[in-house]
Amino acid sequence: MILSPGVRYMLAATFLFTTMNVLVKAVPNIPAVEIVFFRSLISLLLSYVLLKRARVRVLGKQRKWLIARGSVGAVALVLFFITLQNIPLASAVVIQFLSPIFTAIIGVFLVREPVKSWQWVFFAIAFAGILVVQGFDSRISPFYMGIGVVASFCAGLAYNIIRKLGTSEHPLVVVFYFPLVTLPLTGLYCLFVEWTMPHGIEWLTLLGIGVLTQFAQVLMTMSYQAEEVSKVASLKYIGIIYALGYGWVFFDETFDVITYAGMALVLAGVVGNVIYKHRLSNQKAKQAG
């Protein structure tokens, strides 16, 4: 099966995001809001340079939706970083995997993208897998689970806003607005509420978080602009494989057989949805031809 551009973009973005998550977890003494501040600062600078080089209008056209995307994205990111710093890497990623489900559901109302009956079956399989993983991971408290769920909902809303923008905005403009909105919000918090001065290698880690974010955001935005939300959103589940490997190598995180079975269910739901959507696309192409 030949992967479409949107699918390839999302697979690459997921890998970069997971790598970035490892760096976030590597600096547990830096507050999550402060990490988001540094990430936004670096991303803002890189986005501006790339926009100028590409000679693209910086402020875009649909500013209302661009600001909305930046706002809900900021909330989602801060809440996700909080869960990431307080629970195992793979567990945090699994909770984040609720976002494609929220993305598909919100997409029915916001961008009018229908979800077929079989897709709901695949989503249910993936969600069942998440429940299995969650139920057998005693290291997750109800508090952090709740924060993670809210983060996933906000992320799903942000992804739909990207889809609503469609191709009317350059991907770099969409990416630019995220740090443009997030930077002042997190900056005020760090100035008046909490600030921890980074030391030594922590500066390089924060730099890496910002750079990886920039490339991952561009790839993710290109993916949502190229494909239907319900088709590519669930590909983020693949990040569980990356998270398991990273967690085992860098943080000595292990899971029992039942938890691995739950992760297999998640992947089964993801692969099933991708194959199903691919077949639907082929059918539409044949009918159009």
Side-chain angles (χ1 to χ4, degrees), residues 175-229:
V175 173
F176 177 74
Y177 261 84
F178 180 74
L180 184 65
V181 174
T182 304
L183 191 64
L185 295 177
T186 55
L188 288 174
Y189 180 91
C190 292
L191 181 63
F192 294 105
V193 180
E194 185 177 19
W195 171 266
T196 300
M197 181 62 68
H199 297 284
I201 197 172
E202 291 177 342
W203 286 107
L204 292 178
T205 302
L206 293 171
L207 176 63
I209 291 172
V211 173
L212 288 176
T213 294
Q214 178 66 23
F215 288 105
Q217 286 280 4
V218 171
L219 287 169
M220 185 193 70
T221 300
M222 292 171 65
S223 176
Y224 281 115
Q225 290 183 331
E227 304 282 351
E228 292 182 10
V229 170

Side-chain angles (χ1 to χ4, degrees), residues 152-169:
S152 296
F153 177 84
C154 292
L157 180 56
Y159 299 149
N160 272 282
I161 293 176
I162 292 175
R163 184 60 180 170
K164 191 170 183 66
L165 287 168
T167 58
S168 64
E169 299 289 354

Side-chain angles (χ1 to χ4, degrees), residues 102-113:
F102 288 127
T103 299
I105 295 173
I106 296 172
V108 174
F109 305 98
L110 189 60
V111 294
R112 306 300 180 186
E113 289 186 356

